Amino acid sequence: MPPEFTYMDPSGKPDPEEFEDAYNRFFKEHIPVNTRRPEAFHLPFPLNTKPRLGIITATLPVSVLKEKAREKQVNLTVYLAAVYFYAVQQIYEDPAWPRRRKKTGKISVQIPINTRNLYPSKTMRNFSLFVMPEIDRRLGHYTFDEILKSVFHQMQLETDVKLVNKILSRNVGSERNIIVRAIPLFIKNPILRMNFKKMGYSQCTGVLSNFMGIHFLLP
Amino acid sequence: MMEHIESVMVVLPPPNKLTKVSCGIIGFNDKVSVTFGNISRNRDLERNFFCFLTSENIPVSITYNRNCHDECL
């Protein structure tokens, strides 16, 4: 094993922090919850027949992409998010799609953030939150540079730990409520499903992962 | 181990009926891999995305393309 490779010894005693619920640990009470966002524009495409999922992968040289991002003074996640916004805007502006399918001009993309950079947790359980930068196409056409500027500043603002606390308190607050906990699951489940439909993906146009590089150090 | 791996891709959980498309990005070696999962019949978003990158002189090569009714990997 190379000395620089940090790993967890499977025969060792696990750190209790590895299986902690980090959402609960960093939850702060009495924080105003995040307000509900209005419905976002959704791609007006008809669905495929089952099985629906099609996958397309492209590779790009990281050096060229980094150079482009550096020119614009942003990181790769922001650069690619701006390209995503630009691509969605082109669909919004395409006259082939009827106006009734463009009820709202708000284009919003969900981007996960690395919460372990904000909160010192070693948990191996799910611990992710996301930000949702947006542009409102009803205000007019956005050039790529305008989108880039807007996405960059929104990402900077929304990844502030105080604002992330708001998202965290929204997610965890109701879970800790004693009345909510007392309600049986078979009643809660359909209500949660309804809420998810109303408040979940209706608020965002699409999902984009943040950029991370991976390394395999093993020989 | 790096020399035995040609490429890596990340496929996000299938998008839901509202969002229809999701996009996963990962870096490996000197390449960035962008993967779109799409449950709709239209590929305009992917085309616009990659066309914009090529218009910016960023070389894009499609390495994997699986239609919804193709056999699995």
Side-chain angles (χ1 to χ4, degrees), chain A residues 20-80:
Chain A
E20 73 170 359
D21 182 354
Y23 291 114
N24 259 316
R25 180 179 160 196
F26 296 104
F27 171 76
K28 286 184 181 152
E29 276 181 273
H30 313 300
I31 281 186
V33 292
N34 225 10
T35 48
R36 202 183 146 228
R37 291 163 182 248
E39 198 175 313
F41 165 70
H42 293 111
L43 299 171
F45 308 150
L47 291 177
N48 254 331
T49 51
K50 285 183 182 175
R52 294 197 170 100
L53 186 68
I55 293 166
I56 185 163
T57 301
T59 51
L60 331 161
V62 74
S63 52
V64 184
L65 206 55
K66 266 190 178 164
E67 188 54 45
K68 284 280 168 195
R70 204 175 297 128
E71 259 175 41
K72 306 280 184 190
Q73 295 174 328
V74 294
N75 63 25
L76 278 185
T77 304
V78 173
Y79 186 83
L80 291 171

Side-chain angles (χ1 to χ4, degrees), chain A residues 16 27 33 58 60 90 108-109 135 148 195:
Chain A
F27 171 76
V33 292
L60 331 161
Q90 280 177 302
S108 169
V109 177
I135 58 168
L148 203 64
N195 262 351

